[in-house]
């Protein structure tokens, strides 16, 4: 039972264009969502988060959008850079951002072509 | 600061052997976690600890044991290794009030059981 789904295993975009990574969830009790970024041979690093009371959160080139009615969130990267090439995991929690209750998606590999 | 340090980075075990994955953090975080990541899957929580002397099970605790005698260290013990425990293991930590969802991960330990 995959409560957090990233249906696109991979995505390729051109440098300078927009990257859109998608994530769907099934548990309506989730109220806090996060994106993590992972380079090969490294651990994931926190990128950006959003509470369910918001529908958008922006941090520099990264924006996360939350559509609660559709149980869908997306990460937009504008403009995309080659250094953004990594695996991106979305994660969700039903108790605020309780870090012992995070459910992770399977990840999307983003390749930004120069 | 080194952050979260995991050793070893790579290990091959024979079925039935035991070993301990070491994890240490120097950020004075009370919360620590062990995750495993299997190919094509998201990170699954094995065990976590909210402070020295306190541990609790995550989603996939079977076949593992943990202890937390100090704030800094959180070793993961595999008893009677099985091929199903072949995975990449990540240790992580977070500040005391872990409700931001932000975890600080180590670089991972790749374990193969043959």
């Amino acid at each position: 039972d995959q409560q957090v789904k990233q249906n696109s295993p991979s995505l390729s975009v051109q440098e300078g264009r927009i990257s859109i990574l998608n994530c769907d969830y099934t548990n309506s009790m989730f109220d806090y969502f996060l994106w993590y970024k992972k380079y090969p041979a490294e651990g994931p690093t926190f990128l950006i988060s959003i509470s369910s009371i918001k529908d958008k959160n922006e941090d520099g080139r990264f924006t996360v959008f939350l559509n609660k009615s559709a149980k869908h969130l997306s990460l937009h990267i504008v403009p995309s850079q080659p250094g953004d090439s990594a695996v991106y995991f979305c994660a969700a929690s039903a108790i605020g951002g309780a870090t012992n209750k995070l459910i992770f998606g399977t990840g999307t590999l983003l390749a930004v072509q120069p | 600061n080194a952050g979260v340090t995991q050793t070893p980075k790579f290990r091959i075990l024979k079925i039935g052997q035991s070993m301990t994955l070491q994890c240490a953090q120097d950020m004075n975080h009370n919360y620590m976690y062990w995750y495993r990541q299997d190919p094509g899957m998201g990170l699954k929580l094995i065990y976590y600890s909210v402070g020295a002397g306190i541990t609790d099970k995550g989603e996939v605790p079977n076949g593992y044991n943990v202890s937390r005698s100090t704030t800094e260290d959180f070793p993961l013990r595999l008893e009677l290794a099985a091929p199903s425990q072949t995975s990449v293991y990540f240790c992580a930590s977070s500040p005391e009030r872990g409700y931001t969802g932000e975890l600080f991960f180590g670089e991972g330990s790749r374990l193969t059981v043959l």
Side-chain angles (χ1 to χ4, degrees), chain A residues 1-2 32 34 36 38 41-46 49 89 95-107, chain B residues 31 33 35 37 40-45 48 50 59 90 94-95 98-108:
Chain A
D1 177 25
Q2 191 71 24
Y32 202 87
L34 308 96
Y36 279 82
K38 183 185 179 306
E42 294 185 11
T45 55
F46 169 76
S49 62
F89 292 98
I95 307 177
T99 43
N100 59 326
K101 301 293 183 186
L102 288 177
I103 305 295
F104 284 84
T106 54
Chain B
Y31 285 41
Y33 315 80
Y35 283 88
Q37 185 194 6
M41 304 292 288
L43 288 85
K44 302 287 188 184
L45 183 62
Y48 68 98
V50 300
E59 294 177 80
F90 291 99
S94 65
Y99 282 87
T100 64
E102 183 175 357
L103 299 171
F104 296 81
F105 283 89
E107 293 184 340

Side-chain angles (χ1 to χ4, degrees), chain A:
Chain A
D1 177 25
Q2 191 71 24
Q3 298 184 66
V4 177
K5 302 176 184 178
Q6 295 177 257
N7 293 318
S8 297
S10 63
L11 174 68
S12 181
V13 300
Q14 289 294 121
E15 180 178 5
R17 305 295 290 270
I18 184 171
S19 295
I20 300 176
L21 295 96
N22 294 305
C23 180
D24 297 294
Y25 61 95
T26 58
N27 189 342
S28 58
M29 298 301 292
F30 286 149
D31 61 3
Y32 202 87
F33 305 88
L34 308 96
W35 286 92
Y36 279 82
K37 176 180 181 179
K38 183 185 179 306
Y39 292 118
E42 294 185 11
T45 55
F46 169 76
L47 186 58
I48 193 169
S49 62
I50 187 167
S51 165
S52 62
I53 63 174
K54 296 184 176 181
D55 54 18
K56 175 183 174 181
N57 189 27
E58 189 172 354
D59 184 1
R61 295 186 298 114
F62 303 90
T63 302
V64 56
F65 295 92
L66 176 62
N67 182 334
K68 290 185 288 295
S69 61
K71 295 192 179 67
H72 177 84
L73 69 155
S74 60
L75 175 68
H76 292 211
I77 306 173
V78 183
S80 301
Q81 299 174 354
D84 296 328
S85 297
V87 176
Y88 290 78
F89 292 98
C90 68
S93 171
I95 307 177
T99 43
N100 59 326
K101 301 293 183 186
L102 288 177
I103 305 295
F104 284 84
T106 54
T108 296
L109 174 62
L110 174 65
V112 180
Q113 309 296 332

Side-chain angles (χ1 to χ4, degrees), chain B residues 40-58:
Chain B
M41 304 292 288
L43 288 85
K44 302 287 188 184
L45 183 62
I46 304 171
Y47 270 97
Y48 68 98
S49 169
V50 300
I54 307 170
T55 63
D56 206 349
K57 296 178 181 179

